[in-house]
Amino acid sequence: MDMENAGPLGNGLDQLPDQGTSATAVVDARGIVTGWSSGAQRLLGYPYEDVVGRSAARLLGGNADVMVDLSAVLEGRGGSTPLRHQDGHPLEAELQAYASLDREGNAQWLIVATSPPQPRPHRGPRPHKDEATTEEAFAQCHLPVMIYDAELRALRGSAGAVRELGLTEEQIRGRRVTDILPPHICTTVEEGMRRVFATGEPERFQVHGRPRRGAHDRYWAVSVSPLRNPAGQVRHVQLIALDVTEQHRARERLVLLNDVSAQVGSTLDVMRTAQEMADVAVGRLADFISIDLLDGLFRGVEPRPSPTGSVALRRAAQRSVLPGTPESVVQPGEVDYYPESSPPARCLNTGRSSLHRTLDEAIRSWQAADPVRAGKVRDFGMHSIMVIPLRARGITLGVAVLVRHHRRASFDEDDLLLAEEIAARAAVAVDNARRFTRERTTALALQRSLLPQRLPAHEAAEVAYRYLPARSRAGLGGDWFDVIPLSGARVALVVGDVVGHGLRASATMGRLRTAVRTLADVDLPPEELLVHLDDLITHLRAEEDTATDPELEIVTDLVATCLYLVYDPVSRRCAAAGAGHPPPAVVTPDGKAEFIDLPAGPPLGVGGLPFEAVEWEVPRGSLLVLYTDGLVEVPEHDLGRGMALLRRCLERPAHSLEATCDDLVRSLLPAQPSDDVALLIARTRALDAGQVATWDLPSDPAAVADARDKVARCLADWGLHEVVFTAELVVSELVTNAIRYGTPPVQLRLIRDTALICEVSDGSSTAPHMRRARMFDEGGRGLLLVAQFAERWGTRHRAGGKSIWAEIGVQDERS
């Protein structure tokens, strides 16, 4: 058959013989012509370009009013069919249809039209149709086509069927599928043929196997169609098998790559990411795979070239189709050494992949330099190896070695391209995990350096704490806590949380903690301290908004929450204020827990809104519990339920504060917290009346001498004889300043704590300050003397005046 004008058919037409008077066309499932031979052009007069894309039924009929019953032709009931030439004259042709699939696996039909012999010039009976051309076309068809009877025995086989089965047509005829093909294929094919005989409807399915002994495994798309007699009964079935092995492998590769994208990189752990790649590839591409990474990646360090020829790589992951991965010479986490001439070492240095057989010179040299590995190659019959670099951002991170020994087929170039694509996608995930590890390590080191290294012992409270960094992809948060000694034996407890994660949150946390300590030294009330912090956040945001580096671009508002609480062991009272933070919990000595009704206040950074403080009395031995929202707000439950659980846990008895912290962490948090957690618990103590002495003093300079006498007698009673002189001097200067520059009432208070605290209060709000006295000045040296003799001193403003305090170091003689 002349196909020179058939056009880009690609549908098997070029595999049919040239039969001179036969014409062929290809019709898709919608009845549209997709192929047209030169024989068809000679028969009907239509050229190729006028035919393709038109309806076959209308085309063969000649115009819109005459249509060929195409469904009858496709079902095998065509026979002699009236057609119409392009010039309008009628003609008849014998039409036969053969089902097949195009390159995309879609159904199509090969229609063979044979012109009947010209009628004799004299009148007489019509001759029998010449079926020789159709018969020859079927016999020489290169597609595997079979005809079966109702007993499922073969009647005919095309040249394609003979070629694939390795049998002659005489050997095929009369035999069932079970006599030719493997059992698992036979069952599927024969069941499909039986359904066609029963329903009269075509069947399509796929089978996998070898058509004959010694052939490779193939995938076949099988189409079974009914063949009817003139009465419409299904007497035979036609079976066409198309080799779709390449299409199947292409789909498998796409599915594998999709699984790599979906399954590799689910975490930001380098080892886990590498193992995910191994899990996806083994069994589908390789029988054994090992993934080795440069050792620095496990610490988040940027990889650098090795100064020596040999390469030491740490095994990140491995997987085998065999239990226990017996092919491996090292275990995950151990270091594997590769000689300079080995394919993995060359792959790491050049960044190029390679494909090998075990008989290659490169593999033989590698085995000679590594006898242990050579033994594994022999023992397991390894015959094909691929060495693939893991590269991301132009940097080689490691090497993946893929091996086949269980399956007979060796790796080919398509497998190499597939492995490179898998490695490229996995390398991006590994690099992301490495960069996350580096940032997390940096942020954690920064955070730990900014948090308290140890909490100071304090007479006002016994303290325990827990800090747990987040283990999520978002990175470390900005949670912090602190315990700050204040004047008058008081102590400040603070917890805070910077919204966001990463280095920015950690750095902001450090700045806020420093600011809180500075403001606490000024002895600001809790609500005023939060106002200053709010202003600081506003200034920080303004500074960051001026950043021009795109990498430093601010993607979230700078916002933080904070809870600041001050406890006075003398009065046993607490004062606290919050800025958008969960309220503190108080556990009384009888074991009852409750949350303080503290105004939440706006978060720090909102600006322009006031904060309110609350005061309450705390029984001796009570627990003050401060925490960040990471403790009570987790994916398993919301904030309300988390606080209810916290309350129940606090009411459970515990023998120590450390045990209470452990119990809360164990009961409230998952194994991998998604947010930072800061927990601070303090058991309150109280100073007895015998540790505090208070005197009201007249606003008279003569009261200074009386004040010194009172201090001397009190210290003698407390057994603090060695500091009497220093205390008399400090008290004398402080009382003199209060009487001379302050306003009544004047009060003197001594507190015996870890240090001796001297406080003088007056009604003036003016804070004193040291000045440089000249040589002949009579005054101006009082506060200078106080600063020289006291360990610390300062001013604390209060309602109705101020207090000037000084701490003097003592050695307690009570023991």
Side-chain angles (χ1 to χ4, degrees), residues 54 173 260 512:
R54 295 177 57 186
R173 191 173 293 129
V260 169
L512 289 181

Side-chain angles (χ1 to χ4, degrees), residues 726 729-730 733-734 770 781-794 804-807:
T726 303
L729 177 63
V730 169
E733 294 298 333
L734 294 182
M770 287 191 298
R781 298 179 178 84
L783 290 182
L784 180 62
L785 291 174
V786 171
Q788 293 296 318
F789 284 94
E791 292 184 347
R792 295 196 310 154
W793 76 279
I804 304 176
W805 55 270
E807 291 185 2

Side-chain angles (χ1 to χ4, degrees), residues 299-370:
R299 303 186 303 274
V301 178
E302 190 87 6
R304 295 181 179 178
S306 173
T308 62
S310 61
V311 178
L313 299 175
R314 190 171 296 277
R315 180 62 48 86
Q318 59 189 24
R319 184 69 184 271
S320 171
V321 294
L322 303 177
T325 319
E327 306 97 323
S328 176
V329 297
V330 298
Q331 296 302 313
E334 297 178 353
V335 176
D336 198 359
Y337 296 91
Y338 293 97
E340 180 181 2
S341 61
S342 65
R346 289 204 301 269
C347 175
L348 192 68
N349 291 331
T350 64
R352 293 193 294 269
S353 57
S354 57
L355 176 62
H356 305 276
R357 301 288 181 90
T358 51
L359 298 178
D360 293 351
E361 181 62 30
I363 301 299
R364 294 170 62 184
S365 299
W366 185 13
Q367 294 183 64
D370 192 342

Side-chain angles (χ1 to χ4, degrees), residues 46 54 57-68 84-85 88:
Y46 293 99
R54 295 177 57 186
R58 295 186 182 279
L59 175 68
L60 299 178
N63 55 47
D65 300 326
V66 180
M67 296 182 62
V68 172
R84 188 177 298 275
H85 195 272

Side-chain angles (χ1 to χ4, degrees), residues 175-213:
R175 300 174 70 175
R176 296 181 56 169
V177 178
T178 53
D179 300 328
I180 302 174
L181 298 177
H184 69 281
I185 298 180
C186 300
T187 301
T188 304
V189 173
E190 289 201 342
E191 287 178 353
M193 289 194 293
R194 288 192 181 96
R195 287 193 298 270
V196 173
F197 274 111
T199 64
E201 299 294 330
E203 289 275 338
R204 293 182 178 86
F205 47 85
Q206 284 197 358
V207 295
H208 172 228
R210 302 174 185 173
R212 65 182 183 278
R213 181 175 300 178

Side-chain angles (χ1 to χ4, degrees), residues 47-212:
Y48 170 83
E49 56 271 12
D50 293 346
V51 173
V52 173
R54 295 177 57 186
S55 167
R58 295 186 182 279
L59 175 68
L60 299 178
N63 55 47
D65 300 326
V66 180
M67 296 182 62
V68 172
D69 186 0
L70 191 60
S71 62
V73 175
L74 300 183
E75 293 176 3
R77 298 183 284 108
S80 180
T81 305
L83 306 175
R84 188 177 298 275
H85 195 272
Q86 185 185 24
D87 60 12
H89 78 267
L91 55 90
E92 287 191 359
E94 193 81 21
L95 300 184
Q96 290 287 336
Y98 300 92
S100 64
L101 299 175
D102 62 14
R103 289 190 180 94
E104 285 75 28
N106 300 316
Q108 66 179 14
W109 296 86
L110 175 66
I111 300 178
V112 180
T114 306
S115 299
Q118 294 296 324
R120 297 178 182 179
H122 59 82
R123 293 181 178 273
R126 192 168 186 166
H128 295 291
K129 301 179 181 66
D130 183 9
E131 298 180 353
T133 301
T134 304
E135 195 67 26
E136 291 173 0
F138 174 84
Q140 298 179 36
C141 179
H142 283 213
L143 295 176
V145 181
M146 300 283 293
I147 306 296
Y148 287 89
D149 62 15
E151 295 181 356
L152 306 185
R153 296 189 179 278
L155 299 177
R156 294 296 310 276
S158 68
V162 169
R163 183 186 66 252
E164 295 296 343
L165 295 176
L167 302 172
T168 65
E169 187 174 4
E170 288 73 19
Q171 292 173 321
I172 294 174
R173 191 173 293 129
R175 300 174 70 175
R176 296 181 56 169
V177 178
T178 53
D179 300 328
I180 302 174
L181 298 177
H184 69 281
I185 298 180
C186 300
T187 301
T188 304
V189 173
E190 289 201 342
E191 287 178 353
M193 289 194 293
R194 288 192 181 96
R195 287 193 298 270
V196 173
F197 274 111
T199 64
E201 299 294 330
E203 289 275 338
R204 293 182 178 86
F205 47 85
Q206 284 197 358
V207 295
H208 172 228
R210 302 174 185 173
R212 65 182 183 278

Side-chain angles (χ1 to χ4, degrees), residues 276-295:
E276 288 170 344
M277 173 186 169
D279 293 344
V280 172
V282 164
R284 301 166 71 175
L285 179 61
D287 298 328
F288 168 73
I289 181 172
S290 64
I291 301 175
D292 298 324
L293 302 177
L294 293 168
D295 190 55

